[in-house]
């Protein structure tokens, strides 16, 4: 009898422990298959890292610019900010993405969600280019982005003028996105490195207001590591974002790395109750990502870095943020085709 009771207590205890530790499956809502030189560690590595990290789905995008190796520079740069050489709009990035996607074993393809990004956001011909690409591979593309507009020093390194999310060329792209039911991921910094106010907010707010039928994913909610190097933390971000989520039901927020710290958690990883409440208030509007660029070894660490924050959310909300919210903004046709277990 005693033995049985002990056995019961043990299994009940184990069960309780098991229930407490949540296990997350992830969608990486922000992934670049190639880097700023259009190079990649390749599909075999990516698939392996996804499996190791519990990443079921990825937003699968290129990088819309290529960084030049200029003869004035003493060595080949390793990153866009590595030297003074310019970057230029590079449409072939999408050829690389389409090719890589077609190499994914058929049974694994539903896990990859290709986004088209290789166009010049300053050119009013870009929507025609995107339409041609969509028609070239019908049904392949599931979103547009990451589109680089205001993006730290990259903005001034890109040849030509600074792209704004609210310019005429992008307006045409948003109409196209609505026509094809494609979500749009935008990198549009909320401010410059030095201005302690939402200097560029209008540029993202205008399309949110004018294109209610387009689902926008705002990369890092307009923050960046470069801004934080100068300002540490944007005091106005929380209230601004809370207001925007309320005003624009078509706004979705990518929480990848520059949001995790210093906003969602402090430097010890402790979740900020204010942000926990905000994410809980809008359970369908936030998603997480790694923002890895061509190399995938840090993917697991990036995604699991969110676990403590996710643990602070109600369980159903946590799973949505970890995986399902990204899937819910994909074209309706794609959502219907996903296996029911996803
Ligand atoms: Zn990115």
């Amino acid at each position: 009898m005693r033995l049985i009771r002990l056995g019961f207590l043990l299994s009940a205890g184990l069960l309780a422990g098991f229930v407490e530790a949540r296990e997350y499956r992830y969608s990486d809502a922000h992934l670049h298959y190639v880097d700023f030189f259009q190079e990649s560690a390749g599909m075999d590595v990516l698939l392996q890292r996804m499996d190791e990290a519990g990443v079921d789905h990825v937003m699968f995008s290129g990088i819309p610019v290529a960084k030049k190796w200029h003869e004035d520079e003493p060595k080949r740069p390793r990153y866009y900010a590595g030297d003074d050489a310019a970057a230029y709009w590079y449409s072939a990035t999408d050829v690389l993405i389409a090719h890589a996607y077609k190499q994914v074993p058929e049974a694994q393809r539903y896990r990859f969600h290709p986004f088209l990004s290789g166009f010049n956001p300053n050119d009013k011909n870009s929507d025609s280019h995107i339409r041609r690409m969509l028609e070239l591979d019908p049904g392949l593309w599931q979103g547009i982005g990451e589109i680089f507009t205001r993006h730290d020093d990259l903005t001034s390194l890109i040849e030509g003028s600074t792209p704004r999310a609210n310019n005429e060329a992008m307006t045409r792209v948003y109409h196209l996105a609505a026509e094809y039911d494609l979500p749009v991921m935008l990198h549009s910094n909320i401010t410059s490195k030095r201005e302690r106010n939402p200097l560029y907010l209008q540029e993202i707010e205008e399309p949110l207001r004018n294109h209610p039928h387009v689902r926008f994913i705002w990369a890092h909610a307009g923050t960046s590591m470069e801004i934080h190097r100068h300002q540490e933390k944007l005091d106005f971000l929380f209230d601004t974002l809370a207001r925007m989520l309320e005003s624009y039901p078509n706004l979705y927020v990518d929480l990848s790395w520059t949001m995790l710290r210093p906003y969602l958690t402090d430097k010890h990883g402790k979740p900020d109750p204010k942000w926990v409440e905000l994410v809980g208030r809008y359970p369908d509007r936030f998603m997480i990502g790694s923002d890895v660029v061509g190399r995938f070894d840090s993917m697991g660490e990036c995604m699991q870095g969110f676990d403590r924050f996710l643990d602070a959310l109600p369980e159903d909300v946590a799973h949505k943020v970890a995986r399902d919210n990204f899937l819910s903004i994909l074209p309706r046709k794609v959502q219907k085709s996903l296996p029911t277990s996803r």
Side-chain angles (χ1 to χ4, degrees):
M1 180 68 191
R2 256 188 90 161
L3 208 67
I4 292 169
R5 197 184 296 161
L6 186 68
F8 171 76
L9 285 174
L10 267 176
S11 55
L14 278 176
L15 201 67
F18 189 71
V19 171
E20 263 170 41
R22 295 182 192 164
E23 212 187 297
Y24 297 112
R25 306 293 305 178
Y26 307 99
S27 288
D28 187 340
H30 191 152
L31 176 132
H32 301 280
Y33 181 64
V34 298
D35 62 15
F36 284 86
F37 306 92
Q38 304 295 325
E39 293 174 350
S40 175
M43 185 50 74
D44 291 347
V45 181
L46 174 55
L47 265 168
Q48 204 177 331
R49 296 291 171 264
M50 285 169 67
D51 289 340
E52 288 164 4
V55 173
D56 289 342
H57 293 266
V58 292
M59 175 263 201
F60 191 56
S61 74
I63 288 273
V65 295
K67 165 83 173 179
K68 202 184 283 180
W69 182 7
H70 197 281
E71 66 172 30
D72 288 352
E73 301 298 337
K75 67 179 187 69
R76 187 181 191 230
R78 287 176 295 137
Y79 191 55
Y80 77 78
D83 61 29
D84 290 339
Y88 53 99
W89 300 108
Y90 189 78
S91 290
T93 200
D94 295 323
V95 177
L96 302 174
I97 292 301
H99 178 73
Y101 176 75
K102 289 170 189 170
Q103 288 190 319
V104 177
E106 191 95 41
Q108 301 283 324
R109 253 183 231 174
Y110 74 95
R111 302 171 67 189
F112 289 78
H113 305 283
F115 275 45
L116 187 143
S117 67
F119 58 90
N120 181 342
N122 274 322
D123 184 351
K124 286 169 74 176
N125 279 320
S126 282
D127 61 311
S128 306
H129 162 77
I130 297 171
R131 191 182 291 278
R132 271 194 303 277
M133 292 297 285
L134 296 176
E135 285 167 5
L136 201 61
D137 277 303
L140 186 142
W141 301 103
Q142 300 181 17
I144 297 177
E146 181 184 17
I147 302 165
F148 290 166
T149 62
R150 302 279 185 184
H151 192 298
D152 307 324
D153 300 332
L154 184 61
T155 314
S156 42
L157 285 179
I158 297 172
E159 286 170 344
S161 52
T162 300
R164 279 182 289 108
N166 60 340
N167 68 12
E168 291 177 25
M170 285 308 301
T171 299
R172 300 171 67 96
V173 172
Y174 303 140
H175 285 302
L176 187 72
E179 184 186 328
Y180 280 83
D181 191 28
L182 298 168
V184 174
M185 185 192 236
L186 270 175
H187 186 119
S188 182
N189 282 4
I190 195 166
T191 187
S192 69
K193 290 190 281 191
R194 285 181 179 273
E195 285 293 322
R196 295 177 183 272
N197 58 73
L199 182 69
Y200 297 137
L201 179 63
Q202 183 59 26
E203 296 179 10
I204 174 114
E205 193 152 356
E206 213 176 274
L208 282 168
R209 190 187 311 120
N210 294 346
H211 304 271
H213 300 300
V214 177
R215 302 180 294 287
F216 288 92
I217 311 167
W218 194 11
H220 326 283
T223 67
S224 78
M225 186 55 92
E226 197 53 34
I227 294 177
H228 295 151
R229 269 189 198 114
H230 292 259
Q231 308 200 26
E232 225 168 291
K233 192 170 175 176
L234 304 175
D235 298 330
F236 55 84
L237 187 72
F238 183 88
D239 289 340
T240 305
L241 200 59
R243 175 183 63 76
M244 289 171 77
L245 285 160
E246 160 110 65
S247 305
Y248 309 111
N250 56 336
L251 168 63
Y252 296 84
V253 180
D254 156 40
L255 293 174
S256 61
W257 62 297
T258 52
M259 286 303 290
L260 181 60
R261 223 155 286 126
Y263 302 101
L264 307 185
T265 62
D266 66 15
K267 57 176 183 285
H268 308 292
K270 194 168 155 281
D272 183 333
K274 235 171 55 164
W275 283 91
V276 172
E277 189 279 324
L278 184 69
V279 174
R281 204 189 320 159
Y282 297 98
D284 304 317
R285 312 279 289 282
F286 293 89
M287 52 193 78
I288 58 177
S290 66
D291 200 12
V292 288
V293 180
R295 303 280 175 281
F296 314 113
D297 290 346
S298 63
M299 178 186 247
E301 202 183 311
C302 288
M303 299 309 287
Q304 281 142 27
F306 288 94
D307 285 1
R308 261 187 88 182
F309 181 79
L310 293 172
D311 284 343
L313 293 167
E315 186 157 5
D316 57 329
V317 179
H319 290 298
K320 282 179 165 210
V321 174
R323 198 186 75 153
D324 298 335
N325 285 349
F326 170 67
L327 302 177
S328 304
I329 54 102
L330 295 174
R332 278 143 212 143
K333 228 193 252 171
V334 173
Q335 289 186 49
K336 274 191 220 137
S337 73
L338 287 174
T340 36
S341 63
R342 309 214 264 211

